[in-house]
Amino acid sequence: GRSAVLRRQRWHAHVQLANAVAGQARVLLGLLGKPDADLGVMLTGPREMAKINARFAGRNAATDVLSFEPDEDDAGSNSNNIGDLVICPRYIDDALDVRSLKEQLPVYLVHGLCHLMGHTHDHQHDTKLMQAEEARLLSELQSQRRMASIGRPLTNKLL
């Protein structure tokens, strides 16, 4: 019936987003000089994101992106592992508009990757450095992937 059609449409939208994120991640890892790096990326819903955020950051609420550096066991067994990102598309765009998410997801992917590369936004100087790296990566990603438009660095909101 109608609900099965809607579920199938949502499933196709999620597959499109996952494929887009995987391709963008490969390009970004190359831009970071880490083309062989292993990066885990999980797209999840708000309830699961809130659970993950509560468990690892002590905040019982959904958020846009979380980054996790590899633990010692992971790092020892696979020196190419740079960590994991958890992204909540529905937190970013509650309507789950695939077109706008394709523009916005790279922003969150880049932000999380910058954290995995050691960038922070704890102090204004650090935020400016992170913002410059986010802007560089987003610009190069847009050019290499021939994307019509792309979101602005997340750290712009922090300056």
Side-chain angles (χ1 to χ4, degrees):
R2 182 171 178 252
S3 65
V5 169
L6 291 175
R7 276 195 307 272
R8 197 168 27 252
Q9 286 173 340
R10 273 196 304 264
W11 182 83
H12 286 293
H14 289 153
V15 169
Q16 280 183 308
L17 290 175
N19 287 337
V21 168
Q24 292 163 359
R26 280 191 295 278
V27 170
L28 289 165
L29 290 171
L31 292 172
L32 290 167
K34 300 180 175 293
D36 298 325
D38 287 335
L39 170 69
V41 180
M42 181 173 114
L43 302 179
T44 192
R47 265 184 280 172
E48 184 64 21
M49 180 59 106
K51 289 178 189 175
I52 294 167
N53 201 12
R55 179 173 177 197
F56 294 102
R59 291 182 219 108
N60 192 17
T63 190
D64 46 18
V65 60
L66 292 170
S67 54
F68 298 94
E69 294 178 357
D71 60 28
E72 291 178 21
D73 295 336
D74 290 338
S77 63
N78 180 358
S79 61
N80 286 335
N81 184 0
I82 63 167
D84 299 299
L85 300 176
V86 181
I87 301 173
C88 183
R90 204 163 291 273
Y91 185 90
I92 297 165
D93 182 352
D94 195 45
L96 203 62
D97 176 355
V98 175
R99 193 174 316 116
S100 70
L101 272 171
K102 282 185 179 178
E103 293 174 8
Q104 292 303 312
L105 274 174
V107 172
Y108 296 88
L109 184 61
V110 164
H111 188 81
L113 271 170
C114 282
H115 278 301
L116 292 177
M117 297 293 103
H119 288 281
T120 68
H121 41 76
D122 296 335
H123 305 286
Q124 188 169 8
H125 174 73
D126 299 329
T127 303
K128 286 181 179 181
L129 291 174
M130 186 170 177
Q131 190 273 343
E133 181 66 351
E134 286 182 359
R136 179 188 76 82
L137 290 170
L138 288 168
S139 175
E140 291 189 35
L141 177 66
Q142 182 177 11
S143 174
Q144 286 197 22
R145 297 287 289 193
R146 293 177 176 79
M147 300 170 77
S149 62
I150 198 164
R152 298 166 55 112
L154 274 185
T155 48
N156 282 1
K157 298 176 184 175
L158 303 173
L159 290 172

